[in-house]
């Protein structure tokens, strides 16, 4: 890897449809915001010849400055595909957002890829969220490599960053994370910083000079070789320890010289198996430069060390009725099984779906079956329909280049799948199948919205449905208790992007309003009430009197209605009317306008008139009786309490528990887990954790995550309840 004589122009170029899965590499780039992922992708595309020196597409297409800025902004918050070709291999580079709010896009990238490049800034180090993604990849055995960027920074130190990566990612085996090259430094500048101008291959002992903007290979000087010896020996031992040839280590320790070709072959196999993780260095090309430092080495690692799609097992597949179906990995002649990993809207061609083909071959104009993804709880309907595939294409900057087909193992953009959403399965219409969904993060930040004007109100429903179709991490809620439309998001940046897309893409202007939680009311003790509804105004009158008793019940009991009328004081046909009236009033509330729960309402007595009594009269009397009972009783305002489970690094447990206490939370217990992390379980009033998704991220520097579930409603503290009542009166 990186030891070929030179990169030759004929080996590079623009990617089109692949002809065989063995000639495809699907690679996802992972790293925190600002680590340099997008810059690295652009440098790789430049080196591979996919774009020219000015950053424009090679076939003469033009991109305005505004479009380029907009394109970069989109790439910062959503998954994007950049296909290039190197040494006869099509490389699908999946650039993922670095913001934690867009982890759904990252998970989609992990699903579509067969290997991962972790991009780490030499000046910023490894953050907690990147470590967590590394662990996710390790859990499924995904091959990984590390690219260190920002080597031009004054405080950048490649060797120190390599040690940091070994500590962060190596786990019990730090020798599984080692550099393949060491940086070559130029003369020191006035600030004392020596820029990186090239790389020295530890295996080949070749020098690769990028100082002129073109990669040039030469032999290192005799004085440079001793500096490489320790790093080279450690790399060789690390490779041999992961070799499938169990005799190689004994032979090496016995003094046998292992040839470089054998070492490279073992290295490539170890990387593809996900047991060895090489560290490389890269930097963007200088102005007018053709190749960025280290980009050839990265491309060679991808094409020679990363696995083909054949080595990626197909996720679980079932028939529509749930019966398991065995699908051979990456069989181009097998049944069609493909998955929508990203959905976006293009102003010119409409909806565009980014699809990973796992089995079979996808062709334009054929009819496929679209199977739903089981996210109906988030406002995404389950699908079970046939759709005609539109044009297939590969993204090329702002353009789409048409392709004739997409084989198993490849990625492709599909136009005009109007019903398919992210996570849906595409299969043959006469053999419908369903892939198991990947794990979606739960959106926990509520954003209550309302239409800005009547014109916006008419377009709101359609705009929201399109918005959530693109983003399965977003949940749409029409809250029946608070009568609010709520978009549940992953964080503030996610919410801002949702609002901007509604405005600019779907022409819907909305206002953000305070989010309300579903409060309840209940009686603190027994109380009685008398409802009298008597009206005589000529003609048919209204006459109904009833007496009730109300008493509290245990949590979760709901509304219980009991008839204890003696002697027919209330005729039997009107007793259901009384019940209907009190239940209707309970729904409206009796103190602050919130539904009444957990009480027993007993009908004790009443009076009727042979002519003027009616169903409507006794409904009204029942409601009046309940209101009178409430007027003479103490009413508790109940708030929903959530059961919260927080996974947090041990360093932040104290801060998290202190913060929970300030939110009126009750810690139920803690549990130690792997990776120096702790699970904190607590019960917290929901009114106190509306912004917890944002606050916890700040508190833990992005390393903690939590989930929540409804536990019960319980009485609010008196001072909080009074504040809520005042806000209700003022509204």
């Amino acid at each position: 890897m990186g030891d070929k004589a030179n990169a030759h122009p004929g080996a590079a170029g623009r990617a089109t449809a692949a002809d065989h899965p063995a000639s495809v590499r699907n690679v996802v780039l992972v790293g925190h915001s600002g680590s340099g992922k997008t810059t690295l992708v652009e440098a790789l595309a430049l080196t591979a010849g996919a774009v020219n020196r000015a950053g424009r597409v090679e076939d003469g297409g033009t991109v305005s400055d505004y479009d380029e800025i907009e394109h970069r902004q989109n790439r910062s918050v959503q998954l994007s595909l950049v296909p290039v070709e190197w040494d006869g291999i099509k490389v699908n580079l999946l650039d993922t957002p670095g913001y934690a709010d867009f982890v759904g896009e990252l998970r989609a990238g992990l699903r579509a890829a067969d290997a991962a490049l972790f991009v780490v800034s030499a000046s910023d180090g490894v953050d907690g969220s990147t470590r967590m993604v590394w662990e996710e990849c390790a859990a499924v055995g995904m091959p990984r490599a590390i690219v260190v960027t920002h080597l031009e920074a004054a405080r950048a130190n490649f060797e120190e960053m390599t040690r940091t990566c070994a500590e962060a990612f190596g786990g019990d085996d730090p020798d599984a994370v080692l550099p393949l090259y060491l940086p070559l430094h130029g003369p020191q500048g006035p600030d004392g910083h020596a820029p990186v101008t090239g790389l020295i291959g530890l295996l080949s002992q070749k020098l690769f000079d990028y100082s002129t903007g073109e990669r040039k290979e030469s032999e290192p000087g005799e004085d440079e070789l001793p500096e490489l010896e320790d790093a080279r020996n450690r790399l060789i031992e690390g490779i041999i320890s992961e070799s499938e040839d169990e005799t190689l280590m004994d032979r090496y320790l016995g003094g046998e010289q292992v040839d470089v070709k054998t070492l490279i072959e073992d290295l490539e196999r170890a990387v593809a198996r996900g047991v060895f993780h090489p560290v490389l260095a890269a930097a963007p090309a200088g102005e007018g430069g053709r190749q960025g430092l280290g980009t050839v080495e990265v491309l060679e690692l991808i094409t020679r060390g990363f696995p083909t799609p054949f080595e990626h097992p197909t996720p679980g597949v079932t028939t529509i009725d749930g019966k398991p179906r065995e699908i051979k990995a990456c069989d181009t002649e097998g049944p069609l099984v493909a998955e929508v990993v990203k959905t976006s809207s293009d102003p010119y061609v409409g909806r565009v779906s980014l699809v990973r083909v796992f089995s079979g071959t996808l062709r334009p104009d054929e009819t496929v079956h679209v199977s739903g993804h089981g996210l109906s709880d988030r406002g995404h309907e389950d699908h079970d329909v046939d759709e005609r595939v539109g044009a297939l294409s590969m993204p090329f900057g702002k353009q789409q280049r048409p392709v004739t087909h997409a084989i198993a193992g490849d990625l492709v953009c599909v136009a005009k799948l109007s019903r398919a959403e992210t996570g849906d399965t595409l299969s043959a219409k006469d053999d419908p199948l369903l892939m198991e969904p990947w794990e979606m993060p739960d959106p926990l930040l509520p954003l209550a919205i309302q239409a800005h004007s009547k014109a916006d109100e008419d377009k709101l429903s359609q705009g929201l449905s399109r918005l959530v179709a693109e983003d399965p991490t977003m949940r749409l809620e029409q809250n029946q208790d608070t009568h609010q439309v709520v978009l549940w998001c992953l964080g503030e940046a996610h919410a801002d992007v949702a609002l901007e897309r509604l405005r600019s893409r779907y022409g819907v202007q909305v206002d953000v309003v305070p989010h309300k939680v579903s409060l309840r009311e209940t009686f603190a003790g027994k109380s009685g009430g008398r409802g009298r509804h008597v009206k005589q105004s000529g003609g048919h009158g209204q006459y109904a009197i009833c007496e009730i008793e109300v008493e509290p019940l245990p949590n979760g009991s709901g509304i219980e209605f009991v008839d204890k009328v003696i002697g027919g004081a209330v005729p039997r046909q009107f007793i259901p009317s009384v019940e209907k009236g009190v239940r209707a009033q309970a729904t409206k509330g009796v103190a602050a306008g919130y539904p009444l729960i957990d009480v027993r309402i007993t009908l004790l007595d009443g009076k009727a008139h042979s002519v003027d009594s009616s169903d409507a009269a006794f409904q009204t009397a029942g409601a009046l009786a309940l209101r009178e009972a409430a007027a003479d009783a103490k009413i508790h305002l109940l708030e929903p309490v959530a059961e919260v489970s927080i996974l947090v690094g041990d360093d932040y447990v104290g801060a998290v528990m202190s913060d929970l206490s300030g939110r009126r939370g009750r810690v139920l217990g803690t549990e130690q887990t792997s990776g120096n992390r702790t699970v904190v379980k607590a019960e917290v009033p929901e009114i106190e954790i509306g912004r917890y998704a944002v606050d916890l991220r700040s508190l833990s520097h992005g390393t903690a995550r939590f989930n929540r579930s409804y536990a019960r409603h319980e009485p609010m503290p008196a001072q909080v309840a009074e504040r809520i009542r005042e806000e209700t009166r003022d509204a």
Side-chain angles (χ1 to χ4, degrees), residues 78-149:
Q78 64 184 16
L79 177 71
S80 62
L81 169 64
V82 179
V84 301
E85 187 174 328
W86 184 260
D87 203 20
I89 302 295
K90 181 185 179 185
V91 179
N92 289 317
L93 298 169
L94 291 156
D95 188 8
T96 62
Y99 296 103
D101 282 11
F102 305 102
V103 66
E105 305 282 333
L106 169 61
R107 297 271 175 84
L110 293 174
R111 175 70 160 219
D114 305 314
L117 277 179
F118 279 73
V119 183
V120 177
S121 169
S123 57
D124 296 333
V126 181
D127 71 334
S129 59
T130 304
R131 295 177 194 232
M132 293 170 70
V133 178
W134 181 277
E135 292 172 7
E136 285 188 34
C137 294
V140 297
M142 176 175 279
R144 286 145 284 153
I146 301 153
V147 179
V148 178
T149 60

Side-chain angles (χ1 to χ4, degrees), residues 338-361:
E339 188 171 37
V340 179
V341 294
K342 173 67 184 174
T343 308
S344 59
S345 294
D346 186 282
Y348 304 107
V349 299
R351 184 177 293 187
V352 177
S353 303
L354 177 60
V355 173
R356 162 76 191 249
V357 184
F358 286 94
S359 174
T361 300

Side-chain angles (χ1 to χ4, degrees), residues 224-236:
E224 293 171 311
L225 290 176
E227 297 180 14
L228 306 179
E229 188 173 352
D230 288 345
R232 186 174 193 269
N233 289 339
R234 190 177 177 195
L235 174 61
I236 291 173

Side-chain angles (χ1 to χ4, degrees), residues 444-447 488-489 515 517 663 684-695 706 708:
L444 296 168
L445 180 68
L447 182 72
W488 287 85
C489 306
H515 175 248
V517 299
R663 298 174 187 270
V684 193
E686 287 190 10
I687 201 169
E688 301 286 350
I689 54 173
R691 289 181 49 82
Y692 196 55
V694 177
D695 298 338
F706 79 106
R708 57 189 277 186

Side-chain angles (χ1 to χ4, degrees), residues 382-439:
D382 290 343
H383 297 144
D384 190 14
V385 297
D386 290 338
E387 277 208 86
R388 190 176 183 83
V389 174
L392 303 185
S393 61
M394 286 291 170
F396 192 54
K398 294 286 288 184
Q399 302 177 347
Q400 294 286 336
R401 176 177 287 110
V403 296
T404 58
H405 63 280
I407 62 171
D410 205 356
L411 288 157
V412 70
C413 292
V414 183
K416 298 181 180 178
L417 287 177
S418 59
R419 295 291 299 278
E421 298 182 5
T422 302
D424 280 355
T425 303
L426 308 182
S427 55
K429 66 176 182 177
D430 55 353
D431 187 15
L433 299 171
L434 182 64
M435 297 183 72
E436 66 178 9
W438 68 82
E439 182 184 353

Side-chain angles (χ1 to χ4, degrees), residues 608-675:
H609 189 277
S610 59
V611 175
D612 293 338
S613 290
S614 65
D615 169 65
F618 271 98
Q619 284 190 46
T620 303
L624 290 170
L626 184 58
R627 292 210 295 266
E628 183 177 290
D632 295 335
K634 181 179 180 181
I635 303 297
H636 280 317
L637 201 56
L638 305 179
E639 61 182 341
V641 175
E643 190 172 293
V644 178
S645 179
I646 307 159
L647 179 64
V648 60
D650 291 346
D651 293 342
Y652 301 105
V653 170
V656 166
M657 294 178 72
S658 175
D659 179 72
L660 288 173
S661 177
R663 298 174 187 270
R664 298 190 283 124
R666 295 183 293 273
V667 175
L668 304 178
T670 61
E671 180 182 335
Q672 196 73 26
T673 65
S674 60

